[in-house]
Amino acid sequence: MLVPRTAPRLTREEARYLLHTARTRTQTPHRSAVGPLAGLQIVTDNPRPGLRRWVVQTLTLGMGREIHAELHHDGTTVLAANLSWKALRPDALAEAPEGSLLLHQDFTEACCQDFAAVALELARRTRVDSALHLTAVIASSTESAPLAPVVSEHGGAFMSMPAYARRPHRIQPVTSTLSPHGGDTALHEAAQELFTDLTTQFGLSPQL
């Protein structure tokens, strides 16, 4: 359900506060990776206007991980990030399959969590009552390059590419639902469902 055009639009200050609240909700001590909302923090204080939306992104900075977020006035949320940035340390890149696009599994999980948190905060701000429909997808600019997952071991001390993992050329979009009235448990379950359905397409368990 989209918000009517007659509904009050987010102000820049409200968009800034919304992103801060979502980041605070997901940045817990037990998190395995820093998420895209933390990467956006450098530009969060200055959301830029777009077509019926606020836009926050690091694409023009020319450094670090590329991240792009949109808060639409109709209640739609968009969060996109480069999953392959520094997926492996430079000294381990020689082990990567030639021509593969590496994907950091822990950061993928953090993306699912941050995306769900932003969608939830925007829904609450716009007073949406119906369940939120969340869609996540891993996309590549070319389907000729296989996608290779990089997983963390020993609490993130080591990164590796499981030999038994599948390396698909395309990942199917996955979906989940989230109630705007749900608490942290509902948020975690919705994000975990997205992450699980993405991870299993590589033949991996989300716990690995």
Side-chain angles (χ1 to χ4, degrees), residues 32-52:
S32 56
V34 175
L37 288 180
L40 284 174
Q41 192 167 358
I42 191 173
V43 291
T44 297
D45 287 341
N46 190 30
R48 306 304 302 165
L51 178 59
R52 298 175 182 166

Side-chain angles (χ1 to χ4, degrees), residues 3 22 28-30 51 85 113 142:
V3 178
T28 65
H30 305 293
L51 178 59
W85 188 74
Q113 295 168 348
T142 171

Side-chain angles (χ1 to χ4, degrees), residues 36-101:
L37 288 180
L40 284 174
Q41 192 167 358
I42 191 173
V43 291
T44 297
D45 287 341
N46 190 30
R48 306 304 302 165
L51 178 59
R52 298 175 182 166
R53 73 198 70 180
W54 289 106
V55 179
V56 182
Q57 50 93 5
T58 62
L59 304 182
T60 58
L61 297 183
M63 61 180 186
R65 189 189 301 275
E66 297 94 343
I67 307 170
H68 180 93
E70 297 179 0
L71 304 175
H72 291 233
H73 300 321
D74 67 0
T76 302
T77 301
V78 175
L79 181 61
N82 181 354
L83 302 180
S84 63
W85 188 74
K86 290 189 176 181
L88 275 178
R89 289 188 291 268
D91 58 350
L93 287 176
E95 304 173 9
E98 186 175 356
S100 294
L101 182 62

Side-chain angles (χ1 to χ4, degrees), residues 109-143:
E109 181 179 19
C111 284
C112 293
Q113 295 168 348
D114 283 2
F115 168 56
V118 173
L120 179 61
E121 293 300 331
L122 182 57
R124 288 177 172 176
R125 167 59 186 78
T126 52
R127 297 181 175 85
V128 172
D129 292 326
S130 59
L132 307 180
H133 180 80
L134 307 178
T135 301
V137 65
I138 297 175
S140 137
S141 58
T142 171
E143 293 190 356

Side-chain angles (χ1 to χ4, degrees), residues 11 27 29 43 47 64-65 68 82 91 94 111 114 129 139 141 144 151 154 183 192 196 198 204-205:
T11 65
Q27 294 297 322
V43 291
R65 189 189 301 275
H68 180 93
N82 181 354
D91 58 350
C111 284
D114 283 2
D129 292 326
S141 58
S144 62
V151 303
H154 305 292
Q192 187 65 25
T196 297
L198 291 174
L204 298 175
S205 164

